[in-house]
Amino acid sequence: MSFHLTTLERAGLLTAQREGRHIRYAVDYGQMKNLLTFLMEDCCGGNPVICGFSEKDTTNLPSPENSRKS
């Protein structure tokens, strides 16, 4: 599991903090939203329902126009 968590950290989707022998991981929600927005735009053509998401699931995601500006 640590291999996968380290890969997600290197991708910028997680942050890690070492506490002695343990490493605590936390999700970077901003980066995760950017990734999901990109995937829905690229895969679903901007229509998240095609990818199996409901309108309710996507109400908090940034719009594709806003994600390009940042």
Side-chain angles (χ1 to χ4, degrees):
M1 183 189 279
S2 62
F3 168 79
H4 297 290
L5 292 171
T6 300
T7 302
L8 291 170
E9 179 190 10
R10 288 182 183 154
L13 299 173
L14 297 178
T15 59
Q17 181 177 354
R18 182 170 288 280
E19 294 179 3
R21 292 176 43 191
H22 302 281
I23 301 174
R24 296 200 185 263
Y25 291 93
V27 175
D28 184 330
Y29 289 101
Q31 287 294 81
M32 196 65 76
K33 282 183 178 184
N34 290 338
L35 173 62
L36 290 173
T37 299
F38 168 77
L39 291 174
M40 282 192 284
E41 182 180 320
D42 189 59
C43 169
C44 306
N47 185 0
V49 176
I50 293 173
C51 292
F53 290 97
S54 71
E55 287 295 321
K56 179 184 161 208
D57 295 335
T58 61
T59 54
N60 293 325
L61 290 175
S63 66
E65 295 81 24
N66 292 338
S67 64
R68 285 189 204 121
K69 294 176 185 174
S70 50

